């Protein structure tokens, strides 16, 4: 696992965009898995900036979403599909058909989950961007999720709903259910890139990276994957063991980018 502690949140977004740019420019077509949420807003803005500048061309990239709320109206700005339209599709002009996600409005959600799982597997995701919940979830795989889980309907924890309420208009509560790729689905991606910023993520990051591998902390499943990069800002890295927390200084001395 490569751990990169950026000097600040902006540098973490730049580093994330660097890794996406390297992949997109080296492979075409590219299957890129993206997460939504506050953490991803700055990296996506940087990806859009580079696309406009012409250094990162998304023309042959297929984008796959990790998850989606169940119960929002199709035009609700808080749905992940609409968020990705606003943050990525509209500003880059990439084809909306190149963005894939589970459809929470179909009658048969179980068939939808099975179908989306098949599409993600067939896509062979090259790089999967991930955020992490304060409770250690990845996508919407809440504590207790099986590491072998596939795309399915899940109930969101009260912790997740209260954390995510900040993205909803005043007083509105996030839905209680969602469709999410499973941990088993996520682990099939060739490379995983977890991004976390802010002190509120420090505990789940430390448990994911240094704690025991346990289904009570879903992100600890990343320790089972052979190709994982974790990009943090200093507050999110604050509870890592000392030698992992100081990579920027060490790397400057050693002329290396990453603490390994
Ligand atoms: C959303 C997703 C979630 C978020 C996580 C962090 O697609 O997969 O796992 O990445 O909840 O969200 P933020 O970045 O809002 O703290």
């Amino acid at each position: 696992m490569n751990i990169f502690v950026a000097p600040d949140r902006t540098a973490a977004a730049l580093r994330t965009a660097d890794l996406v740019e390297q992949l997109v420019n080296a492979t075409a077509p590219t299957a890129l898995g993206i997460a939504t949420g506050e953490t991803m807003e700055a990296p996506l803005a940087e990806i859009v900036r580079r696309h406009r500048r012409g250094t990162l061309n998304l023309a042959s990239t297929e984008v796959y979403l990790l998850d989606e709320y169940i119960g929002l109206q199709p035009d609700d700005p808080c749905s992940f599909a609409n968020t990705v339209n606003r943050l990525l599709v509209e500003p880059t002009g990439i084809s909306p058909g190149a963005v894939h996600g589970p459809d929470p409005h179909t009658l048969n959600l179980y068939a939808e989950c099975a179908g989306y799982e098949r599409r993600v597997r067939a896509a062979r995701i090259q790089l999967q961007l991930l955020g992490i919940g304060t409770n250690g979830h990845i996508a919407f795989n809440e504590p207790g999720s099986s590491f072998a889980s596939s795309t399915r309907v899940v109930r969101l924890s009260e912790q997740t709903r209260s954390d995510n309420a900040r993205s909803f208009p005043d007083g509105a509560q996030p839905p209680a259910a969602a469709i999410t790729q499973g941990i088993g689905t996520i682990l099939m991606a060739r490379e995983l890139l977890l991004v976390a910023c802010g002190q509120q993520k420090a505990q789940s990051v430390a448990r994911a990276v240094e704690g025991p591998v346990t289904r009570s902390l879903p992100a600890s499943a990343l320790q089972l994957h052979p190709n994982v990069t974790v990009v943090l800002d200093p507050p999110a890295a604050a509870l890592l063991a000392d030698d992992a927390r100081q990579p920027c200084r060490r790397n400057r001395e050693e002329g290396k980018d990453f603490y390994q």
Side-chain angles (χ1 to χ4, degrees):
M1 190 180 279
N2 294 318
I3 301 173
F4 179 79
V5 184
D8 56 30
R9 191 179 274 259
T10 306
L14 294 178
R15 184 72 212 178
T16 305
D18 285 348
L19 295 171
V20 172
E21 181 178 322
Q22 276 165 24
L23 172 79
V24 168
N25 291 348
T27 50
T30 312
L32 176 67
I34 62 169
T36 41
E38 208 170 73
T39 316
M40 287 299 147
E41 289 180 11
L44 288 178
E46 181 59 23
I47 288 167
V48 167
R49 212 168 289 129
R50 293 179 189 199
H51 178 82
R52 286 179 169 157
R53 213 169 52 199
T55 53
L56 184 166
N57 184 350
L58 292 168
S60 47
T61 299
E62 298 283 317
V63 175
Y64 290 81
L65 273 60
L66 278 173
D67 42 17
E68 184 57 276
Y69 290 116
I70 295 173
L72 299 178
Q73 293 301 316
D75 61 351
D76 192 309
C78 295
S79 82
F80 290 154
N82 292 332
T83 302
V84 168
N85 270 337
R86 190 174 65 252
L87 298 179
L88 190 69
V89 176
E90 285 161 12
T92 55
I94 61 170
S95 157
V99 180
H100 311 268
D103 179 359
H105 306 291
T106 54
L107 279 180
N108 188 342
L109 287 175
Y110 299 94
E112 176 63 18
C113 291
Y116 192 59
E117 176 76 16
R118 275 196 300 275
R119 281 154 65 200
V120 172
R121 283 175 185 240
R124 298 182 180 275
I125 304 290
Q126 282 145 312
L127 177 65
Q128 177 64 58
L129 302 184
L130 296 168
I132 185 170
T134 57
N135 64 358
H137 73 216
I138 45 172
F140 275 146
N141 294 283
E142 300 285 29
S145 298
S146 161
F147 287 1
S149 51
S150 56
T151 303
R152 67 203 187 286
V153 173
V154 291
R155 177 180 293 277
L156 298 178
S157 69
E158 284 312 310
Q159 180 70 58
T160 295
R161 293 181 75 204
S162 104
D163 288 348
N164 289 9
R166 67 188 187 285
S167 310
F168 283 72
D170 279 349
Q173 274 296 305
I179 297 177
T180 185
Q181 285 187 32
I183 297 178
T185 325
I186 292 168
L187 291 177
M188 279 187 296
R190 195 175 303 163
E191 185 176 352
L192 304 177
L193 171 54
L194 177 79
V195 188
C197 293
Q199 158 275 328
Q200 73 280 12
K201 300 293 176 68
Q203 198 171 30
S204 54
V205 165
R207 289 183 67 199
V209 170
E210 294 175 345
V213 174
T214 164
R215 58 198 279 169
S216 65
L217 203 287
S220 66
L222 269 54
Q223 295 181 39
L224 303 174
H225 193 283
N227 194 1
V228 180
T229 299
V230 179
V231 175
L232 305 169
D233 71 352
L239 298 179
L240 292 177
D242 280 353
D243 55 347
R245 234 186 306 136
Q246 306 295 342
C248 295
R249 199 178 328 136
R250 280 170 56 124
N251 291 340
R252 233 173 277 133
E253 284 160 11
E254 294 170 11
K256 279 195 206 150
D257 248 6
F258 289 104
Y259 171 88
Q260 187 117 28

